C-alpha cells in the first residue's frame, strides 16, 4: 500500500529503523560504538570537517546494515534450507557492510591517534580509556563497559 503523505513515509521509515535495531545485533553493536566514540571525538576536539566525515561514515554503516538485513530477510522468504546461491548473496551483502565497518574503525583509530595520543601525549586518562575501549568495548553492552572502566580506574 502506498503512503498518502510524506509524513506517512517518514513514519514507515522510522518503524523500519526500529525493526532493524530489534532484529539485528550488529545494529546494537555499532550503536554502542557510536555512543562511545562520539563523546570521545568531542573530547578530542576533532574539527568540523572530521565530524562531517565521521557522520557520513556512520550513516553509511547503518544504511549498509539496513540493506544487508533486507537482503537476508528476502533470501529467507525463498528458502530456509541451505542453498549455495543464497549463501553467496548473503555473503556479498555482508561484505558491503564490512567495507563501511572497516572505514568506521580505521577512521576512529586515526581520530584517536591524531586528536588524542599525538596532540595530547600527557593525558594518561585518555590513553587508558582508549586502551580499555579497544580491548573491551566490542564485548560488552555500554553500561557494563562503562562500569568496568570506572572500576578499573579505582
Amino acid at each position: 500500500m502506498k503512503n498518502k503523505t510524506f509524513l506517512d513515509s517518514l513514519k514507515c521509515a522510522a518503524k523500519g529503523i526500529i525493526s532493524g535495531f530489534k532484529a539485528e545485533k550488529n545494529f546494537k553493536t555499532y550503536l554502542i560504538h557510536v555512543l562511545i566514540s562520539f563523546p570521545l571525538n568531542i573530547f578530542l576536539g576533532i574539527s568540523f570537517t572530521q565530524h562531517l566525515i565521521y557522520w557520513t561514515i556512520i550513516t553509511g554503516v547503518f544504511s549498509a546494515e539496513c540493506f544487508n538485513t533486507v537482503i537476508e530477510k528476502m533470501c529467507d522468504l525463498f528458502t530456509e534450507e541451505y542453498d549455495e546461491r543464497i549463501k553467496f548473496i548473503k555473503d556479498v551483502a555482508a561484505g558491503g557492510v564490512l567495507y563501511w565497518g572497516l572505514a568506521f574503525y580505521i577512521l576512529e583509530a586515526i581520530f584517536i591517534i591524531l586528536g588524542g595520543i599525538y596532540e595530547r601525549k600527557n593525558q594518561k586518562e585518555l590513553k587508558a580509556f582508549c586502551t580499555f575501549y579497544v580491548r573491551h568495548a566490542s564485548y560488552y553492552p555500554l553500561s557494563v563497559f562503562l562500569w568496568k572502566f570506572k572500576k578499573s580506574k579505582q
Side-chain angles (χ1 to χ4, degrees):
M1 183 169 150
K2 189 128 174 98
N3 294 320
K4 293 183 180 182
T5 65
F6 181 69
L7 187 59
D8 290 340
S9 298
L10 291 178
K11 287 178 185 176
C12 288
K15 287 179 186 176
I17 291 170
I18 292 168
S19 297
F21 274 97
K22 288 180 180 178
E24 295 293 322
K25 67 177 172 47
N26 292 340
F27 275 101
K28 296 169 191 159
T29 302
Y30 282 119
L31 181 62
I32 288 169
H33 288 259
V34 168
L35 291 174
I36 293 169
S37 64
F38 180 63
L40 179 63
N41 289 342
I42 290 174
F43 175 75
L44 295 174
I46 67 172
S47 71
F48 178 74
T49 304
Q50 289 171 319
H51 274 289
L52 289 178
I53 295 168
Y54 175 80
W55 285 108
T56 301
I57 297 289
I58 294 300
T59 303
V61 168
F62 284 114
S63 296
E65 195 63 57
C66 286
F67 291 127
N68 182 47
T69 301
V70 168
I71 290 168
E72 287 181 356
K73 299 296 181 190
M74 286 179 67
C75 287
D76 290 343
L77 286 175
F78 290 105
T79 182
E80 288 288 330
E81 297 172 9
Y82 180 82
D83 185 330
E84 194 64 36
R85 295 170 297 182
I86 299 286
K87 179 187 180 319
F88 174 80
I89 293 168
K90 288 182 174 185
D91 288 350
V92 171
V97 178
L98 181 62
Y99 280 126
W100 281 102
L102 288 173
F104 169 72
Y105 290 115
I106 290 168
L107 180 74
E108 192 58 34
I110 291 169
F111 286 166
I112 289 170
I113 291 167
L114 294 180
I117 296 171
Y118 180 73
E119 292 180 11
R120 303 166 195 239
K121 292 182 222 176
N122 300 324
Q123 292 188 356
K124 291 180 183 178
E125 279 189 28
L126 177 63
K127 287 181 184 178
F129 180 83
C130 293
T131 303
F132 196 84
Y133 171 74
V134 168
R135 289 184 185 159
H136 302 287
S138 59
Y139 304 110
Y140 299 108
L142 182 60
S143 58
V144 173
F145 168 73
L146 292 175
W147 175 78
K148 285 190 175 248
F149 178 71
K150 185 177 177 183
K151 186 177 177 185
S152 71
K153 284 180 60 178
Q154 295 175 348

